[in-house]
Amino acid sequence: MVSILRALLSTPLLLPRASLSKFMDSSSSSCSSNFHEGGSQKLRALAQQLRFYKPPPFSEEVDEQSNEEECGSGKVVSQVGFPESATPVAQNPEKFRPKRAAVLICLFEGDAGDLRVILTKRSSKLSSHSGEVALPGGKAEEGDKDDGDTAKREAKEEIGLDPELVNVVTVLEPFLSKHLLRVVPVIGILHDKKAFKPVLNPAEVDAVFDAPLEMFLKDENRNQEEREWMGEKYLIHYFDYETEHTNYLIWGLTAGILIRAASVVYKREPAFMEQNPKFKVPKL
């Protein structure tokens, strides 16, 4: 399996309303019955805040079919992506048949009291997009109850994150990749960071690290590149992040998803222009 990464500079897509409502109902009931929240007051308050978050409305009628270019290995890989609501397929659902995937935005409180997100570096042995930064995640499988199940299962397979440690609190508007892969960002909270003992799958992941979520709202250590897709110009954002021993470049879909997640968590827009394309809806 290949991690979901850079290649997606997507824009969010929206889950069908019925699916989203089913997911939110099942996740909240499972959290209340099976998950006992611990951790700091900040994390408990954040969990409560995010449970009330509702992504923008989206088209309900979506058929799904496989996209071998991005899904054949079970992971998401694409250089371009946009919020589904910004693309022509959102207005023409009868022609939109994406394969579904989910990524886990796993948040925890750092030693300095800041919110941090768990990220991975793809294995250097992979034939495509090797060594790039990604969120844990992959395509949905038959046994998954919802997008939260998909994201947690993939995180377990990639980095050994026990699903029982993660409290799923909401999902964001889906992102649509260049090749029409629908990627649902799932926000989960890790209340006990010390209980997470990473076990990396060497076939997929070379390293796991964490970064401050708020950095994706700041115009610092950031570059951008203008590109064009379907006749519309847009910006790809690149974030440089340095740890004690390694420098990481976070861009594409991963950066796009984290910009959106940070905006929702901190309730403010980024300090830079995102510039998603404004598509013209083609005549049927």
Side-chain angles (χ1 to χ4, degrees):
M1 289 179 292
V2 187
S3 323
I4 294 187
L5 184 54
R6 133 212 199 175
L8 305 169
L9 185 154
S10 313
T11 340
L13 327 155
L14 305 187
L15 297 175
R17 191 178 304 281
S19 300
L20 177 62
S21 127
K22 177 182 177 183
F23 166 78
M24 294 303 292
D25 291 344
S26 65
S27 66
S28 33
S29 64
S30 64
C31 285
S32 60
S33 59
N34 300 324
F35 190 94
H36 301 285
E37 288 185 3
S40 71
Q41 183 176 352
K42 175 187 286 189
L43 291 180
R44 291 194 296 271
L46 176 62
Q48 186 67 18
Q49 168 198 324
L50 292 177
R51 286 195 187 101
F52 289 101
Y53 172 74
K54 301 294 183 186
F58 53 87
S59 174
E60 300 187 20
E61 309 224 357
V62 179
D63 295 322
E64 296 185 357
Q65 72 179 20
S66 175
N67 182 307
E68 293 301 326
E69 182 171 353
E70 292 191 345
C71 295
S73 61
K75 301 295 180 180
V76 184
V77 180
S78 167
Q79 293 181 352
V80 177
F82 307 102
E84 179 177 320
S85 55
T87 66
V89 295
Q91 288 82 12
N92 296 290
E94 67 278 5
K95 292 192 172 184
F96 180 36
R97 301 174 180 272
K99 191 70 178 177
R100 193 187 198 90
V103 293
L104 180 64
I105 303 168
C106 188
L107 303 178
F108 68 93
E109 187 173 358
D111 294 338
D114 58 334
L115 286 175
R116 304 184 71 85
V117 59
I118 295 175
L119 294 162
T120 69
K121 179 183 177 184
R122 283 166 57 89
S123 171
S124 57
K125 300 175 183 177
L126 294 171
S127 59
S128 64
H129 307 292
S130 60
E132 294 182 1
V133 173
L135 289 159
K139 74 173 183 177
E141 294 184 357
E142 187 175 344
D144 297 338
K145 293 184 298 183
D146 51 38
D147 298 303
D149 255 19
T150 300
K152 291 194 292 182
R153 175 182 51 74
E154 289 288 341
K156 167 78 171 173
E157 293 175 5
E158 293 178 17
I159 59 175
L161 177 57
D162 184 350
E164 296 297 321
L165 295 176
V166 181
N167 178 14
V168 172
V169 289
T170 195
V171 296
L172 302 181
E173 178 190 9
F175 277 66
L176 182 63
S177 78
K178 176 180 178 182
H179 301 287
L180 302 187
L181 177 64
R182 169 174 277 186
V183 184
V184 180
V186 175
I187 297 184
I189 294 179
L190 178 63
H191 289 274
D192 185 3
K193 174 61 167 62
K194 293 181 180 179
F196 171 38
K197 310 295 183 185
V199 179
L200 306 188
N201 179 344
E204 298 183 34
V205 176
D206 274 349
V208 60
F209 67 101
D210 54 83
L213 181 66
E214 195 173 14
M215 69 174 275
F216 298 99
L217 295 178
K218 299 179 179 179
D219 197 9
E220 301 171 4
N221 300 314
R222 185 192 70 87
N223 291 297
Q224 63 188 41
E225 178 184 348
E226 186 176 75
R227 293 193 183 181
E228 185 172 314
W229 187 41
M230 296 175 65
E232 290 291 328
K233 293 182 179 180
Y234 63 94
L235 294 178
I236 291 183
H237 301 279
Y238 300 80
F239 294 88
D240 290 302
Y241 181 65
E242 184 176 352
T243 65
E244 186 177 351
H245 303 292
T246 311
N247 293 328
Y248 294 101
L249 181 65
I250 305 164
W251 73 291
L253 175 67
T254 300
I257 288 175
L258 290 172
I259 291 170
R260 182 60 55 88
S263 297
V264 170
V265 168
Y266 288 100
K267 301 180 182 178
R268 71 175 192 265
E269 295 299 314
F272 49 86
M273 181 186 298
E274 287 187 75
Q275 191 177 328
N276 292 317
K278 299 188 187 315
F279 292 103
K280 298 179 179 65
V281 181
K283 293 182 179 179
L284 295 179

